[in-house]
Amino acid sequence: MAVQDWDALREAAGQGYADGIMCLATIETVERSNNEELIERLHDADAARAARILIDGALVRLHIFVCRGFSPARHADDLHLRTAIDFLKEPGRLDEEPLLWRRTDLAEAIRLFELAAADPRLVRLKHMRDKLIAHMARYDETIIAKPTYNDLFDFTRLTAQIWERLSYGAGTAMVKLRHQVKAYSESADAFWSRWEETSE
């Protein structure tokens, strides 16, 4: 098992919280770009190809960050989400946490993780990662359909809830992720709104 003590758990929780901020901020940035006027102006300025590259890169990074959280531990130094949950699921482990409210958050992280791990969207996301992102192979949609943007975004939001609860329970963060993401939302609005402004 990669996470073998509470210090490693806190390290994994802290990294997960940071990943949660980046993942939710990526969604905000990509969704903000989905505006008819903005897209038209990007095309008019011959900048749409560059914007597409940036958005596609952000989506690939998002896809990788979310899927890696559910991968089995393969190395002793793995610190992704599943390694933290596996540690917490050991018999009697939660009882080692003296604060009841932290124990409650850790138990909720486990519950949400098990819900997410059984989610059919994860199957589609992992399959796409394996066939088209981390590797290149023929993709037979008659076996497993490609995930949609909504699959990726909604499953990311669910994963972020797990990272958040894990961080609360581990004592590495107490601020809701949505408050951390607010500055990124405002930045995305400032970035993309430049393309919506009327030229004088």
Side-chain angles (χ1 to χ4, degrees):
M1 178 186 297
V3 173
Q4 298 185 24
D5 56 45
W6 286 93
D7 285 341
L9 177 84
R10 283 187 281 274
E11 187 178 355
Q15 183 58 56
Y17 185 81
D19 286 354
I21 294 170
M22 286 299 100
C23 287
L24 294 176
T26 298
I27 292 173
E28 291 291 319
T29 302
V30 171
E31 286 188 328
R32 178 59 181 83
S33 72
N34 190 20
N35 175 289
E36 189 174 333
E37 181 184 352
L38 183 154
I39 293 168
E40 184 179 330
R41 291 193 177 210
L42 285 167
H43 280 286
D44 290 346
D46 201 21
R49 290 180 186 88
R52 186 74 257 164
I53 288 170
L54 294 174
I55 292 167
D56 285 352
L59 290 171
V60 165
R61 183 173 186 249
L62 178 63
H63 202 129
I64 290 170
F65 272 37
V66 170
C67 286
R68 77 180 181 190
F70 295 87
S71 298
R74 302 192 189 283
H75 307 284
D77 58 354
D78 284 350
L79 287 172
H80 55 275
L81 181 58
R82 182 179 289 276
T83 66
I85 298 299
D86 286 347
F87 172 78
L88 292 172
K89 287 171 66 175
E90 290 183 342
R93 184 67 70 194
L94 290 181
D95 295 333
E96 295 174 3
E97 170 52 61
L99 298 175
L100 183 58
W101 64 267
R102 282 191 181 174
R103 220 182 296 169
T104 300
D105 280 323
L106 293 172
E108 180 64 2
I110 294 170
R111 187 190 73 80
L112 290 170
F113 181 88
E114 291 177 342
L115 185 71
D119 193 310
R121 293 174 297 189
L122 180 59
V123 173
R124 295 194 292 274
L125 290 166
K126 281 185 171 181
H127 191 67
M128 185 175 191
R129 178 204 59 189
D130 293 344
K131 295 292 186 181
L132 298 179
I133 296 176
H135 308 282
M136 182 52 66
R138 290 188 184 90
Y139 200 112
D140 187 348
E141 288 200 69
T142 63
I143 298 172
I144 298 177
K146 285 183 181 177
T148 64
Y149 288 122
N150 284 340
D151 287 339
L152 177 59
F153 292 173
D154 291 344
F155 191 80
T156 297
R157 291 183 179 108
L158 173 57
T159 305
Q161 289 180 48
I162 306 168
W163 281 323
E164 185 176 69
R165 288 296 187 144
L166 179 64
S167 294
Y168 291 171
T172 57
M174 291 307 302
V175 179
K176 289 186 180 295
L177 282 171
R178 72 171 183 267
H179 297 314
Q180 302 282 22
V181 174
K182 186 174 185 293
Y184 289 92
S185 301
E186 292 169 353
S187 182
D189 190 53
F191 180 82
W192 291 115
S193 65
R194 298 301 178 94
W195 291 98
E196 298 164 331
E197 294 172 359
T198 305
S199 302
E200 293 185 1

